[in-house]
Every structure is written in C-alpha cells, then in structure tokens.
Amino acid sequence: MKFELIKKVPIVEIGGKRCFLDTGFPHASMPVAHGVQEFFGIPGLQVAGVKALKRYTKFDYRNSEITTSDEPISLEGGTTVPLEVRPTGWLVKMTVGGVEGMRYIDTGAAFSYVHNLSKDFPSDGNADECAFDGRPWTAPMRRVPCEFAGHQFEILCGDAQDNPAYVPPEGVIGYDFFANFTLVVDRVGGKVTIIKN
C-alpha cells in the first residue's frame, strides 16, 4: 500500500479510513483523539497498529510503500538480525549516542527519544509533537550518531524527560530509522532484514 508521509508519520488507507501506521500500537485500529486529528490536519483519522499487518511487512520509505503479506517478502542483499517482538512493539539491538541496548523501532514516532541523552551532541532545533491524548508539546532535539547491524546513521533525538508522553526504558527510535533503511520484518519468526538506503 502506498502511504503519504505527514509530519514524518506514514498515513495509509485501510478499509476506506485514513490511518497513521504505528508499530508501537498493539491493536488493529481505533479512532484517535480530536487533538491528534487536528495535529495531522485529518478529520476522522484513526491509528492502525501491528494487528493490521500480516506476518511479513516491508517498509520502503524511499518509494512511500508498505507491503504486508502472509508469504515471505524477499530483500535481496539484505542483512538479517534478530527482532524482539513484544505486545508493546518491536525491538532491535542498536547503539544510540555510544550506548548499546535494545530499542523500540516505531513508525508512529516522528522523532526519537532515549533516557539520559548526553548534552554533548549538537542541538538541532525543536520538534513539535502530539501525545496520543492530543496534548501538543515542543521538545529540543539533538543530532545523535547511531549504529545498527554494522551501519552508521544519524537521528534527531530528544531526552525522554522532555517528552510528557510515555517513553519506555529502552527508548523509541522513529522516522529516521525507517528513512535510513529499507526493511522486511518477520514478526512471527522474530527477525528483520535490512538494506541501508
């Protein structure tokens, strides 16, 4: 399915309804708060979570396309690494700002957040954000180096203390991860295959 990127979040059409795809949301779909609809500028917007996806899902942000299937999806030349699947989302081992750990990868996160982010990384403006209940806020961002499966990339990242919405202890890595990699997730087999864009 084709998607439109609005505020760094993929907006798809499922069952005739416009939804933002959130791999950190454990259900199939539901309406979102009015404040979230206003933030995206889409009346009647819903959220679609991992139960709206099949076993295999390919995320291809370069071509604005998400493919989901019960049959394997190939990604020739890709590197396959473990994926930890929890009810709260998908985690991979990633080094963020020199600190290695399991991190949630989340299509519903426009920006990334980790706990105790060093102030040594260069400031890079502010992010306008919106919580799931519709509360808006602004958070300072820093440009932070990351390493995943032998690949280097950068993210715009904030400290969890500047995010009034819940950030799990592992942190959340959002848009910049999906913009840097084309990936196929096998959420039943617990693995993800990636190619650096």
Side-chain angles (χ1 to χ4, degrees):
M1 64 187 123
K2 284 289 191 182
F3 68 82
E4 181 182 3
L5 212 56
I6 298 179
K7 297 185 183 283
K8 297 187 174 188
V9 174
I11 307 294
V12 297
E13 188 169 310
I14 297 175
K17 297 181 191 271
R18 293 187 81 192
C19 307
F20 74 86
L21 186 63
D22 186 349
T23 55
F25 183 68
H27 308 293
S29 66
M30 66 177 276
V32 297
H34 183 66
V36 177
Q37 296 175 38
E38 287 186 336
F39 180 75
F40 284 102
I42 304 173
L45 181 68
Q46 298 204 2
V47 57
V50 290
K51 288 193 178 170
L53 303 173
K54 297 179 180 174
R55 173 174 176 168
Y56 302 94
T57 304
K58 180 179 181 182
F59 297 90
D60 182 355
Y61 275 40
R62 285 183 308 173
N63 294 305
S64 302
E65 194 165 51
I66 295 169
T67 306
T68 189
S69 172
D70 288 325
E71 298 300 319
I73 299 170
S74 70
L75 193 60
E76 288 188 27
T79 302
T80 301
V81 296
L83 175 82
E84 185 177 330
V85 178
R86 296 183 189 170
T88 49
W90 303 335
L91 295 104
V92 295
K93 185 180 284 187
M94 186 185 308
T95 300
V96 177
V99 179
E100 185 182 66
M102 298 301 288
R103 312 288 182 185
Y104 281 97
I105 53 171
D106 186 356
T107 57
F111 299 94
S112 302
Y113 289 90
V114 296
H115 293 268
N116 303 312
L117 180 65
S118 170
K119 303 285 191 244
D120 293 337
F121 299 113
S123 295
D124 199 329
N126 294 317
D128 291 326
E129 289 273 45
C130 184
F132 208 74
D133 64 5
R135 289 175 300 140
W137 82 92
T138 300
M141 291 287 120
R142 296 188 176 277
R143 189 157 294 280
V144 178
C146 296
E147 186 274 329
F148 174 64
H151 298 284
Q152 312 295 320
F153 65 107
E154 288 187 337
I155 60 172
L156 285 178
C157 191
D159 193 296
Q161 71 177 358
D162 296 320
N163 183 339
Y166 174 68
V167 177
E170 299 85 355
V172 174
I173 309 302
Y175 165 80
D176 289 320
F177 176 79
F178 293 90
N180 273 280
F181 298 95
T182 298
L183 59 149
V184 173
V185 169
D186 174 359
R187 62 188 178 97
V188 176
K191 57 189 176 181
V192 57
T193 302
I194 60 123
I195 289 179
K196 181 84 162 54
N197 290 340

mmCIF file of all heavy atoms in Angstrom, residues 25-60:
data_model
loop_
_atom_site.group_PDB
_atom_site.id
_atom_site.type_symbol
_atom_site.label_atom_id
_atom_site.label_comp_id
_atom_site.label_asym_id
_atom_site.label_seq_id
_atom_site.Cartn_x
_atom_site.Cartn_y
_atom_site.Cartn_z
ATOM 1 N N PHE A 25 1.686 0.401 18.428
ATOM 2 C CA PHE A 25 0.292 0.272 18.866
ATOM 3 C C PHE A 25 -0.114 -1.188 18.709
ATOM 4 O O PHE A 25 -0.032 -1.735 17.607
ATOM 5 C CB PHE A 25 -0.607 1.190 18.027
ATOM 6 C CG PHE A 25 -2.042 1.201 18.437
ATOM 7 C CD1 PHE A 25 -2.443 1.739 19.647
ATOM 8 C CD2 PHE A 25 -3.013 0.667 17.600
ATOM 9 C CE1 PHE A 25 -3.787 1.744 20.015
ATOM 10 C CE2 PHE A 25 -4.351 0.673 17.968
ATOM 11 C CZ PHE A 25 -4.739 1.215 19.185
ATOM 12 N N PRO A 26 -0.541 -1.856 19.792
ATOM 13 C CA PRO A 26 -0.720 -3.306 19.744
ATOM 14 C C PRO A 26 -2.002 -3.808 19.081
ATOM 15 O O PRO A 26 -2.142 -5.003 18.865
ATOM 16 C CB PRO A 26 -0.704 -3.697 21.221
ATOM 17 C CG PRO A 26 -1.223 -2.489 21.930
ATOM 18 C CD PRO A 26 -0.727 -1.315 21.139
ATOM 19 N N HIS A 27 -2.932 -2.926 18.735
ATOM 20 C CA HIS A 27 -4.226 -3.359 18.210
ATOM 21 C C HIS A 27 -4.293 -3.143 16.693
ATOM 22 O O HIS A 27 -3.352 -2.657 16.084
ATOM 23 C CB HIS A 27 -5.355 -2.626 18.922
ATOM 24 C CG HIS A 27 -5.253 -2.708 20.419
ATOM 25 N ND1 HIS A 27 -5.412 -3.884 21.115
ATOM 26 C CD2 HIS A 27 -4.955 -1.760 21.337
ATOM 27 C CE1 HIS A 27 -5.250 -3.662 22.403
ATOM 28 N NE2 HIS A 27 -4.957 -2.379 22.567
ATOM 29 N N ALA A 28 -5.428 -3.482 16.095
ATOM 30 C CA ALA A 28 -5.591 -3.298 14.649
ATOM 31 C C ALA A 28 -5.836 -1.833 14.321
ATOM 32 O O ALA A 28 -5.082 -1.215 13.578
ATOM 33 C CB ALA A 28 -6.717 -4.174 14.115
ATOM 34 N N SER A 29 -6.905 -1.247 14.859
ATOM 35 C CA SER A 29 -7.184 0.166 14.592
ATOM 36 C C SER A 29 -8.197 0.703 15.585
ATOM 37 O O SER A 29 -8.938 -0.055 16.217
ATOM 38 C CB SER A 29 -7.710 0.368 13.167
ATOM 39 O OG SER A 29 -8.970 -0.233 13.019
ATOM 40 N N MET A 30 -8.195 2.026 15.717
ATOM 41 C CA MET A 30 -9.180 2.716 16.545
ATOM 42 C C MET A 30 -9.115 4.208 16.239
ATOM 43 O O MET A 30 -8.101 4.690 15.728
ATOM 44 C CB MET A 30 -8.938 2.465 18.037
ATOM 45 C CG MET A 30 -7.654 3.049 18.584
ATOM 46 S SD MET A 30 -7.444 2.810 20.362
ATOM 47 C CE MET A 30 -8.378 4.189 20.991
ATOM 48 N N PRO A 31 -10.182 4.947 16.519
ATOM 49 C CA PRO A 31 -10.140 6.397 16.322
ATOM 50 C C PRO A 31 -9.135 7.033 17.277
ATOM 51 O O PRO A 31 -8.838 6.484 18.339
ATOM 52 C CB PRO A 31 -11.571 6.845 16.656
ATOM 53 C CG PRO A 31 -12.400 5.604 16.569
ATOM 54 C CD PRO A 31 -11.500 4.466 16.930
ATOM 55 N N VAL A 32 -8.608 8.183 16.891
ATOM 56 C CA VAL A 32 -7.680 8.905 17.754
ATOM 57 C C VAL A 32 -8.356 10.152 18.310
ATOM 58 O O VAL A 32 -9.405 10.576 17.827
ATOM 59 C CB VAL A 32 -6.384 9.284 16.999
ATOM 60 C CG1 VAL A 32 -5.635 8.038 16.566
ATOM 61 C CG2 VAL A 32 -6.682 10.177 15.796
ATOM 62 N N ALA A 33 -7.738 10.737 19.314
ATOM 63 C CA ALA A 33 -8.278 11.936 19.953
ATOM 64 C C ALA A 33 -8.403 13.078 18.941
ATOM 65 O O ALA A 33 -7.639 13.153 17.969
ATOM 66 C CB ALA A 33 -7.379 12.352 21.112
ATOM 67 N N HIS A 34 -9.352 13.967 19.197
ATOM 68 C CA HIS A 34 -9.585 15.094 18.300
ATOM 69 C C HIS A 34 -8.316 15.931 18.128
ATOM 70 O O HIS A 34 -8.011 16.396 17.030
ATOM 71 C CB HIS A 34 -10.726 15.960 18.839
ATOM 72 C CG HIS A 34 -11.082 17.107 17.941
ATOM 73 N ND1 HIS A 34 -11.634 16.929 16.691
ATOM 74 C CD2 HIS A 34 -10.911 18.452 18.104
ATOM 75 C CE1 HIS A 34 -11.814 18.115 16.122
ATOM 76 N NE2 HIS A 34 -11.371 19.046 16.944
ATOM 77 N N GLY A 35 -7.551 16.096 19.208
ATOM 78 C CA GLY A 35 -6.310 16.870 19.129
ATOM 79 C C GLY A 35 -5.298 16.254 18.183
ATOM 80 O O GLY A 35 -4.537 16.968 17.522
ATOM 81 N N VAL A 36 -5.271 14.922 18.094
ATOM 82 C CA VAL A 36 -4.366 14.238 17.163
ATOM 83 C C VAL A 36 -4.836 14.466 15.726
ATOM 84 O O VAL A 36 -4.031 14.716 14.825
ATOM 85 C CB VAL A 36 -4.279 12.730 17.482
ATOM 86 C CG1 VAL A 36 -3.400 12.014 16.469
ATOM 87 C CG2 VAL A 36 -3.764 12.505 18.897
ATOM 88 N N GLN A 37 -6.158 14.413 15.514
ATOM 89 C CA GLN A 37 -6.703 14.690 14.185
ATOM 90 C C GLN A 37 -6.334 16.109 13.739
ATOM 91 O O GLN A 37 -5.943 16.330 12.589
ATOM 92 C CB GLN A 37 -8.227 14.522 14.191
ATOM 93 C CG GLN A 37 -8.686 13.098 14.473
ATOM 94 C CD GLN A 37 -10.192 12.991 14.603
ATOM 95 O OE1 GLN A 37 -10.930 13.646 13.887
ATOM 96 N NE2 GLN A 37 -10.635 12.145 15.526
ATOM 97 N N GLU A 38 -6.431 17.057 14.657
ATOM 98 C CA GLU A 38 -6.074 18.447 14.342
ATOM 99 C C GLU A 38 -4.578 18.582 14.054
ATOM 100 O O GLU A 38 -4.177 19.303 13.151
ATOM 101 C CB GLU A 38 -6.472 19.368 15.493
ATOM 102 C CG GLU A 38 -7.964 19.596 15.600
ATOM 103 C CD GLU A 38 -8.304 20.627 16.663
ATOM 104 O OE1 GLU A 38 -7.492 20.831 17.598
ATOM 105 O OE2 GLU A 38 -9.387 21.235 16.559
ATOM 106 N N PHE A 39 -3.747 17.878 14.829
ATOM 107 C CA PHE A 39 -2.293 17.938 14.653
ATOM 108 C C PHE A 39 -1.906 17.489 13.248
ATOM 109 O O PHE A 39 -1.072 18.114 12.595
ATOM 110 C CB PHE A 39 -1.618 17.057 15.709
ATOM 111 C CG PHE A 39 -0.117 17.037 15.636
ATOM 112 C CD1 PHE A 39 0.629 18.114 16.081
ATOM 113 C CD2 PHE A 39 0.556 15.933 15.131
ATOM 114 C CE1 PHE A 39 2.025 18.104 16.021
ATOM 115 C CE2 PHE A 39 1.940 15.909 15.070
ATOM 116 C CZ PHE A 39 2.681 16.989 15.520
ATOM 117 N N PHE A 40 -2.528 16.413 12.764
ATOM 118 C CA PHE A 40 -2.235 15.913 11.424
ATOM 119 C C PHE A 40 -3.058 16.612 10.348
ATOM 120 O O PHE A 40 -2.773 16.462 9.159
ATOM 121 C CB PHE A 40 -2.479 14.405 11.350
ATOM 122 C CG PHE A 40 -1.402 13.578 11.992
ATOM 123 C CD1 PHE A 40 -1.583 13.024 13.240
ATOM 124 C CD2 PHE A 40 -0.195 13.352 11.335
ATOM 125 C CE1 PHE A 40 -0.592 12.263 13.836
ATOM 126 C CE2 PHE A 40 0.802 12.602 11.918
ATOM 127 C CZ PHE A 40 0.609 12.050 13.176
ATOM 128 N N GLY A 41 -4.084 17.333 10.746
ATOM 129 C CA GLY A 41 -4.942 18.002 9.774
ATOM 130 C C GLY A 41 -5.833 17.046 9.008
ATOM 131 O O GLY A 41 -6.188 17.300 7.855
ATOM 132 N N ILE A 42 -6.229 15.927 9.667
ATOM 133 C CA ILE A 42 -7.046 14.910 9.008
ATOM 134 C C ILE A 42 -8.249 14.575 9.892
ATOM 135 O O ILE A 42 -8.129 13.802 10.849
ATOM 136 C CB ILE A 42 -6.229 13.619 8.731
ATOM 137 C CG1 ILE A 42 -4.984 13.934 7.898
ATOM 138 C CG2 ILE A 42 -7.099 12.579 8.027
ATOM 139 C CD1 ILE A 42 -4.046 12.761 7.720
ATOM 140 N N PRO A 43 -9.425 15.136 9.594
ATOM 141 C CA PRO A 43 -10.621 14.776 10.368
ATOM 142 C C PRO A 43 -10.921 13.289 10.237
ATOM 143 O O PRO A 43 -10.759 12.701 9.165
ATOM 144 C CB PRO A 43 -11.734 15.612 9.722
ATOM 145 C CG PRO A 43 -11.028 16.699 8.971
ATOM 146 C CD PRO A 43 -9.702 16.128 8.559
ATOM 147 N N GLY A 44 -11.326 12.652 11.320
ATOM 148 C CA GLY A 44 -11.679 11.235 11.298
ATOM 149 C C GLY A 44 -10.489 10.295 11.271
ATOM 150 O O GLY A 44 -10.652 9.086 11.069
ATOM 151 N N LEU A 45 -9.280 10.816 11.475
ATOM 152 C CA LEU A 45 -8.072 9.986 11.448
ATOM 153 C C LEU A 45 -8.147 8.870 12.492
ATOM 154 O O LEU A 45 -8.660 9.062 13.592
ATOM 155 C CB LEU A 45 -6.838 10.859 11.729
ATOM 156 C CG LEU A 45 -5.478 10.150 11.719
ATOM 157 C CD1 LEU A 45 -5.120 9.684 10.311
ATOM 158 C CD2 LEU A 45 -4.396 11.076 12.263
ATOM 159 N N GLN A 46 -7.634 7.703 12.118
ATOM 160 C CA GLN A 46 -7.536 6.581 13.045
ATOM 161 C C GLN A 46 -6.074 6.166 13.164
ATOM 162 O O GLN A 46 -5.225 6.639 12.408
ATOM 163 C CB GLN A 46 -8.385 5.403 12.556
ATOM 164 C CG GLN A 46 -9.856 5.734 12.473
ATOM 165 C CD GLN A 46 -10.750 4.511 12.571
ATOM 166 O OE1 GLN A 46 -10.291 3.393 12.739
ATOM 167 N NE2 GLN A 46 -12.034 4.737 12.478
ATOM 168 N N VAL A 47 -5.802 5.293 14.127
ATOM 169 C CA VAL A 47 -4.478 4.697 14.245
ATOM 170 C C VAL A 47 -4.598 3.228 13.850
ATOM 171 O O VAL A 47 -5.562 2.564 14.218
ATOM 172 C CB VAL A 47 -3.894 4.852 15.667
ATOM 173 C CG1 VAL A 47 -4.804 4.258 16.720
ATOM 174 C CG2 VAL A 47 -2.501 4.222 15.762
ATOM 175 N N ALA A 48 -3.635 2.732 13.065
ATOM 176 C CA ALA A 48 -3.569 1.316 12.714
ATOM 177 C C ALA A 48 -2.292 0.750 13.328
ATOM 178 O O ALA A 48 -1.209 1.309 13.144
ATOM 179 C CB ALA A 48 -3.550 1.133 11.195
ATOM 180 N N GLY A 49 -2.445 -0.341 14.061
ATOM 181 C CA GLY A 49 -1.309 -0.936 14.741
ATOM 182 C C GLY A 49 -0.852 -2.230 14.118
ATOM 183 O O GLY A 49 -1.242 -2.589 12.998
ATOM 184 N N VAL A 50 -0.042 -2.995 14.869
ATOM 185 C CA VAL A 50 0.591 -4.195 14.308
ATOM 186 C C VAL A 50 -0.412 -5.274 13.932
ATOM 187 O O VAL A 50 -0.141 -6.078 13.041
ATOM 188 C CB VAL A 50 1.662 -4.759 15.261
ATOM 189 C CG1 VAL A 50 2.858 -3.833 15.322
ATOM 190 C CG2 VAL A 50 1.120 -5.018 16.640
ATOM 191 N N LYS A 51 -1.588 -5.292 14.545
ATOM 192 C CA LYS A 51 -2.569 -6.324 14.178
ATOM 193 C C LYS A 51 -3.223 -6.045 12.829
ATOM 194 O O LYS A 51 -3.922 -6.893 12.293
ATOM 195 C CB LYS A 51 -3.609 -6.485 15.277
ATOM 196 C CG LYS A 51 -3.025 -7.184 16.502
ATOM 197 C CD LYS A 51 -4.079 -7.634 17.462
ATOM 198 C CE LYS A 51 -3.429 -8.369 18.624
ATOM 199 N NZ LYS A 51 -4.361 -8.642 19.709
ATOM 200 N N ALA A 52 -2.958 -4.862 12.270
ATOM 201 C CA ALA A 52 -3.423 -4.563 10.911
ATOM 202 C C ALA A 52 -2.437 -5.105 9.880
ATOM 203 O O ALA A 52 -2.709 -5.086 8.682
ATOM 204 C CB ALA A 52 -3.585 -3.057 10.727
ATOM 205 N N LEU A 53 -1.281 -5.605 10.351
ATOM 206 C CA LEU A 53 -0.240 -6.126 9.470
ATOM 207 C C LEU A 53 -0.221 -7.647 9.497
ATOM 208 O O LEU A 53 -0.615 -8.262 10.483
ATOM 209 C CB LEU A 53 1.130 -5.591 9.911
ATOM 210 C CG LEU A 53 1.260 -4.067 9.964
ATOM 211 C CD1 LEU A 53 2.598 -3.681 10.579
ATOM 212 C CD2 LEU A 53 1.101 -3.467 8.579
ATOM 213 N N LYS A 54 0.289 -8.240 8.432
ATOM 214 C CA LYS A 54 0.414 -9.696 8.360
ATOM 215 C C LYS A 54 1.786 -10.109 8.903
ATOM 216 O O LYS A 54 2.494 -9.299 9.486
ATOM 217 C CB LYS A 54 0.174 -10.153 6.932
ATOM 218 C CG LYS A 54 -1.251 -9.817 6.489
ATOM 219 C CD LYS A 54 -1.552 -10.207 5.091
ATOM 220 C CE LYS A 54 -2.999 -9.817 4.784
ATOM 221 N NZ LYS A 54 -3.343 -10.037 3.397
ATOM 222 N N ARG A 55 2.146 -11.369 8.708
ATOM 223 C CA ARG A 55 3.405 -11.855 9.295
ATOM 224 C C ARG A 55 4.617 -11.065 8.796
ATOM 225 O O ARG A 55 5.496 -10.694 9.566
ATOM 226 C CB ARG A 55 3.591 -13.344 8.982
ATOM 227 C CG ARG A 55 4.952 -13.846 9.419
ATOM 228 C CD ARG A 55 5.141 -15.327 9.279
ATOM 229 N NE ARG A 55 6.516 -15.691 9.641
ATOM 230 C CZ ARG A 55 6.926 -16.937 9.841
ATOM 231 N NH1 ARG A 55 6.083 -17.939 9.705
ATOM 232 N NH2 ARG A 55 8.182 -17.170 10.165
ATOM 233 N N TYR A 56 4.675 -10.826 7.478
ATOM 234 C CA TYR A 56 5.815 -10.141 6.873
ATOM 235 C C TYR A 56 5.389 -8.736 6.442
ATOM 236 O O TYR A 56 4.342 -8.564 5.815
ATOM 237 C CB TYR A 56 6.323 -10.901 5.651
ATOM 238 C CG TYR A 56 6.741 -12.313 5.940
ATOM 239 C CD1 TYR A 56 5.844 -13.374 5.761
ATOM 240 C CD2 TYR A 56 8.021 -12.608 6.393
ATOM 241 C CE1 TYR A 56 6.223 -14.684 6.030
ATOM 242 C CE2 TYR A 56 8.408 -13.914 6.662
ATOM 243 C CZ TYR A 56 7.497 -14.949 6.483
ATOM 244 O OH TYR A 56 7.871 -16.243 6.746
ATOM 245 N N THR A 57 6.215 -7.753 6.763
ATOM 246 C CA THR A 57 5.921 -6.387 6.327
ATOM 247 C C THR A 57 7.205 -5.726 5.849
ATOM 248 O O THR A 57 8.222 -5.738 6.546
ATOM 249 C CB THR A 57 5.303 -5.550 7.454
ATOM 250 O OG1 THR A 57 4.130 -6.213 7.948
ATOM 251 C CG2 THR A 57 4.912 -4.165 6.960
ATOM 252 N N LYS A 58 7.132 -5.172 4.646
ATOM 253 C CA LYS A 58 8.259 -4.423 4.079
ATOM 254 C C LYS A 58 7.967 -2.935 4.199
ATOM 255 O O LYS A 58 6.911 -2.461 3.793
ATOM 256 C CB LYS A 58 8.456 -4.795 2.604
ATOM 257 C CG LYS A 58 9.611 -4.051 1.940
ATOM 258 C CD LYS A 58 9.757 -4.491 0.485
ATOM 259 C CE LYS A 58 10.918 -3.778 -0.191
ATOM 260 N NZ LYS A 58 11.020 -4.170 -1.623
ATOM 261 N N PHE A 59 8.928 -2.200 4.767
ATOM 262 C CA PHE A 59 8.826 -0.753 4.906
ATOM 263 C C PHE A 59 9.827 -0.127 3.945
ATOM 264 O O PHE A 59 11.034 -0.302 4.095
ATOM 265 C CB PHE A 59 9.138 -0.323 6.339
ATOM 266 C CG PHE A 59 8.173 -0.869 7.353
ATOM 267 C CD1 PHE A 59 8.406 -2.090 7.961
ATOM 268 C CD2 PHE A 59 7.025 -0.176 7.685
ATOM 269 C CE1 PHE A 59 7.509 -2.612 8.886
ATOM 270 C CE2 PHE A 59 6.125 -0.680 8.604
ATOM 271 C CZ PHE A 59 6.367 -1.896 9.210
ATOM 272 N N ASP A 60 9.316 0.583 2.943
ATOM 273 C CA ASP A 60 10.146 1.198 1.917
ATOM 274 C C ASP A 60 9.779 2.680 1.845
ATOM 275 O O ASP A 60 8.933 3.091 1.052
ATOM 276 C CB ASP A 60 9.903 0.498 0.571
ATOM 277 C CG ASP A 60 10.773 1.035 -0.549
ATOM 278 O OD1 ASP A 60 11.505 2.025 -0.323
ATOM 279 O OD2 ASP A 60 10.714 0.479 -1.656
#
